[in-house]
Amino acid sequence: MPRKADVKNKTMKSPETMSSLVWRRFRRHPGAMAGAIILAILILSVLLAGLSPFDPEISDIKNRFQPPSGNHLFGTDGLGRDVLVRILYGGRVSLSVGFLVVGISLAIGVPIGSAAGYFGGWVDNVLSKVIDATMSLPALMFMILLSAILREIDAPFLKSNSTLTISLVLGVLSWPTAARLVRAIFFTFREMEYVTAAKALGASNLRIIISEILPNGLGPIIVESTLGIGYAIMEESTLSFLGFGIMPPTPSWGNMLDKAQEHLSQYPWLAIFPGLMIFLAIISINFIGDGMRDALDPYKILAQIDE
Amino acid sequence: MTEHSDQFLLKIRGLKTYFYTEDGVVKAVDGVDFNVNRGEILGLVGESGCGKSVTALSIMQLIRKPGKIVEGKISFGSVNLRELPLEDIQEIRGNRISMIFQQPQTSLNPVITVGDQLAEVFEIHADLNNEEMREKSVELLRTVGIADPEQKALAYPHEMSGGQAQRVMIAMGLAMRPELLIADEPTTALDVTIQAQILDLMRDLRNELGTAVILITHDLGVIAEMADWVAVMYAGQIVEQAGVVPLFDKPLHPYTRGLINSIPVLGETKHRLADIDGVVPNLVDLPKGCNFAPRCKARKKYGLSICEEINPDLKEIMPNHSVRCWLYQDAEDHKAPLKP
Amino acid sequence: MGQYIVRRLLQAIPMLLLVSILLFALVNVAPGGPLSQFSRSRRMTAERAESLKRQFGLDKPLTVQYIVWLAGNDWMAIDTDGNGITDSYGTRKGVLRGDFGFSYQNREPVLPQIMDRLPNTVYLMGLTLIVVAIIAIPIGIISAVKQYSAFDITVTTLSFMGQAIPEFWLGLILILIFYVGLDNPVTGKSLLPGGGMYTIGAEFSLIDRIRHLILPVSMGVVGWVAWWSRFLRSSMLEVINQDYIRTARAKGQNERKVLYRHALKNALIPLVTMIMIDFPYVFTGAIVVEQLFSWPGMGRMYYDAATSRDYPMLMGVLILGSMVIILSNLMADIIYAYLDPRVRYD
């Protein structure tokens, strides 16, 4: 088996920084590049949605159920609103939820995973049980219940329909993935000699956790977080589709599809475009995640050559 | 020392095995020639990454994507192994040529008992019934020095020590009394005391069965103790080959000299490869001239400029002693074809 | 082995307790709390509410309430009239003995209603699982063995797409095509039914049953096939690159046996474990398909309960769901230990 340092010597033509190596490998992954471009276009158009003359929420009954045309590219819905504009505003919601959920997962998962992995022993025992218990809740069902409860109680900051609320509902169940990953990273690296050395030099636990061990896990954490954005978008749209996520009139890809169900036979375009957007967003994110996984693991193929 | 005659069991000429990676073509083996006599132990020595293992896997036709044997002839007896169809290769593997590996424990299937894995060799190559296969397996385990072979045959690999697992691998390798055994760093992963036992076992079995051995190692101590004939590899090429005595007595290539000088001698303190600066070159982007030139001290000492221009050929300087180095040949000689 | 199973079962207990504490906390946050099924009754008076509170132990501290919720209070002497003297026993049996309370919607006990719907879900999702396994396992193996072949690239691309398609949207599209769009050329009716388990009012017919299964099963199959085939492919690829596969080839073994005797045996261990772990999610995920296809199963019941805020029903399904997940994880470990000789039972 290769020692990583050896392979690196053979791989790098000239002294090359890790980030440029990663970028070079990422660029070579066609799916990842396509994904990155599609996602960039998506984010850009979502941000520029305000330039459209149409309003996403105000109805225009005269123009209801217009099929796709030059004026309304994706047609209009049952209240005469432009579907394209609603999709773009819905994209704001979906993408924000995606990033927020990952942020929440990291904010909860990284400290818990670090503590469990670094201290081990009873700390790990207790925290692992909490992680496992959270993971043993039936996710979709639990989120529906949580969302139903949050709708009925008046919690400060948590407006029943806000992006933040729905992100919290998703985040409550998504952090264990991050925690498990970080815990595993700590188990791998906490016995390393340089960590022991740092301890011997009197570095504080917090310092060792943050500046000695965590950076080693940056690669896998980035990959998992990227894929996590995709999961979150999928879950948000499912919840909204079932009526327990973002509520109309605020558009979201999921609740647009929920409404489209009623008119499936007469106005099928209402059911096609929002779903296509979810599909596009998630597949680009998954490809980007896959590309990053490959890019961050440059030792994969060379391992076979070395002895 | 056995006479290095023309009656070779294995004859390799111009072997090139490349790996087509995303970072470029890795020339792991780049023009290797050597011979193995019947019953002889050939030591193939070099640093990690020099292409020793890839050479071995090339002989076995076990190179997998993205690797490929691109050139060369591997003559075993009267056939060129490169040209044989897979079924014929499978007939030879484990039967006439067998191979043991560096990591004995990961080289055994974790979910199959040791006895069954051993019996598999007979199942493939011998016409025996189950009872005979079981008996022969137990007998083999006893031959390679496994205590309580009946019980151990029922054990799983993780229930054995590294030394025991390597004995099992050797038993598997020798089950069909092959003409050639390729041992790729067979003792590297083992404790020092176990190393000696495994080497003794291999030598005894060689003496008993007359099996030729290609012993791959980075450990010159092992070579000195075991080998009849030695080939030194560097960056995918053989840089020197000779009988074991002349090689240690009178190493020619600066790399070989560096290797030998870095063997620790009792009473002296030396660092590993103290005499060779720098690292093995990048096999994607080899230097233009001699692969060893960037690290070569002799080149600087004698002020040779050709080393950075043209890679020298492997040339027989003395009877049965070849070296790939400009110190021992003139530039004009380069145009003359290498004697076969 | 027996000892190992017992030990693992014991280890599952703290996990179940943790889950139950969490769910109990949620019951208390939920509007109305554990008594809310009664608070909706018009006949409820303040006096009667007080008495009920005492009967259910809700006058006690939260810890006691938790015990009552979990283990019931029919073994506890309680003071129903609030005069300081205990006068009767409680009536709750507790979650541990299957007392999940009464549904808001019909005032009936929760558990029998769940059990009533469960078989329909098992029927639909069980069939889905079987179809998934039949498709995913061969695909995963072939894809790994023929890595980078046209087949592998196609399958890998398709499974990437399969994992990115939202299940409910796929369902909508299937309905759009096969129910709304295409017609049966003979009868002129829709090619496939758009919902239900069978044609209501018609006599039992196998063909009718199968026709009703095609769309919901297809919708469920796609995502899982994508996931399992990708999983098997990568675990197979990992195994194929192991040293012992090289050893098997070095012995002279032919490729077919290298594959089936040496590689598959190792690659299937993680897959079987994975299937075991995923198993409950297939069922708890039944909400979407059952809602979309009006399938009278547990998932649809859960959806209806959520829409009408029937908390006892929701709790009941959630607790059972968590139990199934924990038990499946346990089974996964046990199966793993059984299949892989390297796992020690200590």
Side-chain angles (χ1 to χ4, degrees):
Chain A
M1 279 309 287
R3 282 179 301 266
K4 291 195 169 178
D6 291 354
V7 184
K8 224 181 230 165
N9 284 332
K10 270 177 254 164
T11 320
M12 298 193 180
K13 284 174 180 136
S14 54
E16 192 178 18
T17 60
M18 196 61 195
S19 59
S20 74
L21 175 74
V22 167
W23 171 235
R24 189 159 59 84
R25 302 183 68 98
F26 183 81
R27 253 183 349 204
R28 229 179 286 161
H29 193 301
M33 277 315 279
I37 291 167
I38 292 173
L39 193 67
I41 294 173
L42 214 64
I43 291 177
L44 203 69
S45 33
V46 155
L47 290 176
L48 297 176
L51 296 179
S52 160
F54 304 110
D55 186 278
E57 292 183 22
I58 296 173
S59 46
D60 174 11
I61 299 298
K62 275 181 303 186
N63 283 321
R64 62 204 297 255
F65 295 127
Q66 296 286 317
S69 67
N71 198 19
H72 298 283
L73 273 182
F74 290 180
T76 63
D77 68 2
L79 293 171
R81 299 169 298 196
D82 183 81
V83 172
L84 175 59
V85 166
R86 282 182 63 75
I87 281 178
L88 293 180
Y89 278 91
R92 283 190 184 180
V93 174
S94 290
L95 293 171
S96 322
V97 168
F99 285 101
L100 265 172
V101 169
V102 167
I104 293 169
S105 305
L106 292 177
I108 307 175
V110 173
I112 289 187
S114 305
Y118 183 76
F119 296 108
W122 69 268
V123 178
D124 177 41
N125 237 320
V126 170
L127 292 177
S128 292
K129 284 277 179 298
V130 174
I131 293 173
D132 289 349
T134 314
M135 286 184 117
S136 58
L137 291 166
L140 183 58
M141 288 183 167
F142 186 79
M143 290 188 295
I144 287 176
L145 174 70
L146 205 56
S147 176
I149 290 176
L150 282 175
R151 286 261 163 84
E152 290 205 1
I153 58 174
D154 278 324
F157 307 114
L158 296 178
K159 292 241 180 60
S160 63
N161 199 24
S162 78
T163 312
L164 182 66
T165 311
I166 187 80
S167 303
L168 270 179
V169 169
L170 298 180
V172 162
L173 289 187
S174 68
W175 65 268
T177 318
R180 272 198 174 176
L181 177 68
V182 171
R183 176 175 174 272
I185 291 162
F186 273 78
F187 271 113
T188 315
F189 286 98
R190 67 170 186 196
E191 305 297 339
M192 292 276 171
E193 279 159 24
Y194 70 92
V195 174
T196 320
K199 273 184 196 163
L201 289 172
S204 69
N205 284 334
L206 194 65
R207 197 189 152 75
I208 295 175
I209 287 175
I210 293 174
S211 52
E212 302 290 343
I213 303 183
L214 260 184
N216 291 299
L218 217 53
I221 291 174
I222 291 173
V223 171
E224 279 306 316
S225 301
T226 310
L227 296 173
I229 297 174
Y231 293 135
I233 291 177
M234 183 79 95
E235 282 171 338
E236 179 273 318
S237 65
T238 307
L239 271 185
S240 296
F241 176 74
L242 292 173
F244 292 93
I246 303 289
M247 298 293 279
T250 309
S252 106
W253 294 338
N255 73 28
M256 291 174 78
L257 285 169
D258 185 21
K259 274 272 162 281
Q261 260 190 106
E262 297 161 17
H263 315 291
L264 206 55
S265 45
Q266 304 109 296
Y267 315 114
W269 64 86
L270 294 176
I272 290 173
F273 297 113
L276 216 54
M277 295 310 276
I278 304 173
F279 173 70
L280 269 182
I282 293 174
I283 202 168
S284 339
I285 289 168
N286 286 355
F287 269 125
I288 294 171
D290 200 53
M292 287 211 252
R293 203 198 319 260
D294 284 356
L296 290 166
D297 183 18
Y299 313 114
K300 220 171 45 183
I301 293 176
L302 281 148
Q304 201 196 333
I305 305 162
D306 208 56
E307 48 222 79
Chain B
M1 197 192 105
T2 49
E3 180 64 25
H4 218 68
S5 71
D6 277 338
Q7 297 304 307
F8 301 120
L9 173 67
L10 182 78
K11 188 164 131 185
I12 296 180
R13 286 295 174 270
L15 178 67
K16 291 187 180 180
T17 305
Y18 294 171
F19 287 79
Y20 298 86
T21 71
E22 287 175 30
D23 295 289
V25 180
V26 178
K27 297 173 179 172
V29 174
D30 197 17
V32 158
D33 313 299
F34 65 81
N35 310 314
V36 183
N37 274 319
R38 288 187 183 278
E40 173 189 77
I41 298 183
L42 169 83
L44 199 55
V45 69
E47 284 171 274
S48 137
C50 71
K52 317 175 292 250
S53 293
V54 175
T55 305
L57 292 171
S58 303
I59 299 170
M60 293 295 285
Q61 302 294 306
L62 283 173
I63 295 293
R64 301 188 59 233
K65 273 181 189 168
K68 192 174 188 290
I69 301 177
V70 291
E71 254 181 70
K73 210 173 157 186
I74 304 167
S75 311
F76 178 66
S78 56
V79 294
N80 179 358
L81 295 179
R82 264 193 80 194
E83 286 164 359
L84 283 190
L86 185 63
E87 296 88 71
D88 295 359
I89 292 288
Q90 282 165 351
E91 190 49 48
I92 289 175
R93 286 180 191 157
N95 187 14
R96 295 179 62 202
I97 307 179
S98 55
M99 182 162 178
I100 62 177
F101 301 95
Q102 180 169 353
Q103 299 287 346
Q105 269 159 325
T106 59
S107 295
L108 290 168
N109 194 323
V111 301
I112 303 178
T113 61
V114 162
D116 284 350
Q117 294 188 61
L118 198 47
E120 198 182 351
V121 181
F122 297 118
E123 185 198 312
I124 301 164
H125 298 293
D127 191 18
L128 299 176
N129 64 36
N130 286 345
E131 184 53 28
E132 288 166 334
M133 287 199 288
R134 202 193 61 80
E135 274 170 22
K136 284 205 95 173
S137 305
V138 169
E139 190 188 308
L140 261 171
L141 287 176
R142 190 174 287 120
T143 313
V144 295
I146 296 232
D148 196 7
E150 281 91 357
Q151 277 306 306
K152 280 291 178 195
L154 302 174
Y156 287 95
H158 72 274
E159 294 165 328
M160 312 193 105
S161 68
Q164 284 175 321
Q166 196 60 294
R167 287 174 194 271
V168 172
M169 288 297 292
I170 291 173
M172 220 182 255
L174 296 174
M176 300 305 297
R177 298 175 165 252
E179 291 149 74
L180 177 64
L181 173 73
I182 303 172
D184 185 4
E185 304 262 14
T187 58
T188 307
L190 306 177
D191 289 344
V192 182
T193 47
I194 311 292
Q195 278 188 21
Q197 291 173 15
I198 294 289
L199 291 175
D200 285 346
L201 172 68
M202 285 177 55
R203 193 169 32 214
D204 291 349
L205 290 168
R206 189 275 301 252
N207 293 340
E208 204 175 302
L209 305 172
T211 302
V213 178
I214 297 179
L215 178 62
I216 295 171
T217 178
H218 64 271
D219 186 342
L220 281 168
V222 170
I223 294 283
E225 199 180 316
M226 299 280 293
D228 302 311
W229 187 260
V230 186
V232 181
M233 270 192 91
Y234 184 80
Q237 294 183 324
I238 288 178
V239 293
E240 183 163 2
Q241 51 177 312
V244 68
V245 178
L247 189 99
F248 278 87
D249 269 1
K250 215 178 173 188
L252 297 177
H253 197 283
Y255 178 65
T256 317
R257 278 192 249 153
L259 282 181
I260 290 174
N261 281 340
S262 57
I263 300 176
V265 177
L266 206 62
E268 277 179 55
T269 322
K270 265 182 185 160
H271 297 291
R272 192 168 163 266
L273 295 188
D275 267 34
I276 311 174
D277 295 332
V279 291
V280 182
N282 173 350
L283 292 177
V284 175
D285 224 358
L286 284 167
K288 191 170 138 210
C290 169
N291 291 340
F292 188 61
R295 298 170 78 184
C296 186
K297 284 179 179 165
R299 176 179 70 86
K300 291 187 191 121
K301 192 172 157 195
Y302 296 104
L304 287 176
S305 59
I306 189 167
C307 301
E308 286 179 308
E309 298 298 322
I310 304 168
N311 193 20
D313 292 327
L314 184 64
K315 199 178 168 201
E316 197 164 5
I317 302 297
M318 289 177 272
N320 286 336
H321 197 153
S322 325
V323 65
R324 186 191 289 276
C325 181
W326 287 120
L327 290 173
Y328 308 97
Q329 51 188 303
D330 296 326
E332 290 103 67
D333 287 0
H334 179 70
K335 289 172 194 100
L338 185 67
K339 280 169 224 154
Chain C
M1 192 78 188
Q3 245 185 334
Y4 173 79
I5 294 173
V6 171
R7 194 163 43 80
R8 291 307 319 265
L9 272 170
L10 291 177
Q11 280 171 353
I13 291 174
M15 192 81 68
L16 276 166
L17 282 177
L18 257 174
V19 171
S20 74
I21 290 172
L22 193 91
L23 290 176
F24 173 75
L26 267 181
V27 182
N28 277 279
V29 173
L35 259 191
S36 47
Q37 68 259 44
F38 295 102
S39 66
R40 293 199 178 181
S41 160
R42 283 187 216 97
R43 284 174 297 162
M44 178 64 72
T45 61
E47 197 178 284
R48 175 139 170 72
E50 275 308 303
S51 160
L52 269 175
K53 258 191 175 172
R54 282 191 294 273
Q55 237 173 48
F56 288 160
L58 297 177
D59 53 336
K60 301 274 177 9
L62 269 177
T63 43
V64 179
Q65 285 187 37
Y66 170 68
I67 291 168
V68 170
W69 179 74
L70 194 67
N73 63 355
D74 55 350
W75 43 274
M76 265 183 198
I78 52 170
D79 169 21
T80 36
D81 49 14
N83 61 4
I85 305 156
T86 57
D87 46 39
S88 76
Y89 285 93
T91 52
R92 308 289 315 248
K93 286 202 170 73
V95 166
L96 282 180
R97 281 178 288 165
D99 177 4
F100 293 90
F102 296 83
S103 156
Y104 289 174
Q105 298 170 95
N106 54 18
R107 309 281 162 85
E108 297 285 324
V110 160
L111 192 62
Q113 298 186 59
I114 298 175
M115 289 309 163
D116 198 36
R117 291 292 198 97
L118 195 58
N120 290 344
T121 301
V122 172
Y123 165 64
L124 174 62
M125 296 324 255
L127 279 168
T128 305
L129 271 179
I130 291 170
V131 175
V132 170
I134 290 174
I135 303 175
I137 292 176
I139 282 184
I141 295 171
I142 298 171
S143 195
V145 173
K146 307 226 178 291
Q147 198 189 3
Y148 303 132
S149 66
F151 178 85
D152 177 39
I153 290 167
T154 313
V155 162
T156 311
T157 314
L158 284 179
S159 75
F160 248 104
M161 294 169 68
Q163 282 191 298
I165 293 181
E167 204 184 31
F168 60 90
W169 185 55
L170 181 68
L172 278 182
I173 299 295
L174 287 175
I175 292 175
L176 195 57
I177 297 172
F178 294 98
Y179 174 67
V180 177
L182 298 175
D183 286 336
N184 185 323
V186 181
T187 59
K189 291 183 189 162
S190 289
L191 189 62
L192 287 171
M197 268 176 82
Y198 46 83
T199 308
I200 294 168
E203 276 192 32
F204 176 86
S205 127
L206 189 63
I207 293 178
D208 182 58
R209 291 278 178 143
I210 292 173
R211 275 165 43 86
H212 279 86
L213 278 167
I214 294 176
L215 292 185
V217 167
S218 310
M219 163 183 163
V221 157
V222 171
W224 288 105
V225 164
W227 162 228
W228 284 1
S229 64
R230 257 171 77 91
F231 184 85
L232 182 58
R233 175 182 183 270
S234 66
S235 82
M236 195 72 185
L237 279 177
E238 199 182 313
V239 168
I240 284 175
N241 287 316
Q242 294 293 313
D243 290 351
Y244 54 81
I245 295 300
R246 191 178 57 189
T247 306
R249 292 207 173 93
K251 272 183 207 175
Q253 192 56 282
N254 64 49
E255 285 301 309
R256 206 171 45 84
K257 282 195 177 155
V258 168
L259 194 64
Y260 290 110
R261 187 181 295 180
H262 290 275
L264 203 53
K265 221 173 197 169
N266 283 280
L268 281 180
I269 295 173
L271 182 75
V272 170
T273 313
M274 194 50 151
I275 291 178
M276 216 47 238
I277 290 173
D278 282 345
F279 187 72
Y281 295 98
V282 177
F283 288 91
T284 56
I287 297 174
V288 180
V289 64
E290 291 185 0
Q291 195 271 337
L292 202 55
F293 287 94
S294 321
W295 194 271
M298 209 186 61
R300 177 120 182 278
M301 184 175 71
Y302 190 88
Y303 176 81
D304 292 341
T307 318
S308 48
R309 305 294 189 269
D310 185 351
Y311 291 111
M313 179 65 85
L314 298 175
M315 280 309 156
V317 177
L318 263 180
I319 291 168
L320 289 177
S322 303
M323 254 173 62
V324 173
I325 291 178
I326 290 171
L327 287 177
S328 300
N329 285 337
L330 192 77
M331 279 299 290
D333 285 352
I334 291 169
I335 290 177
Y336 195 93
Y338 177 73
L339 292 177
D340 192 330
R342 282 166 294 185
V343 177
R344 298 209 182 96
Y345 310 126
D346 48 42

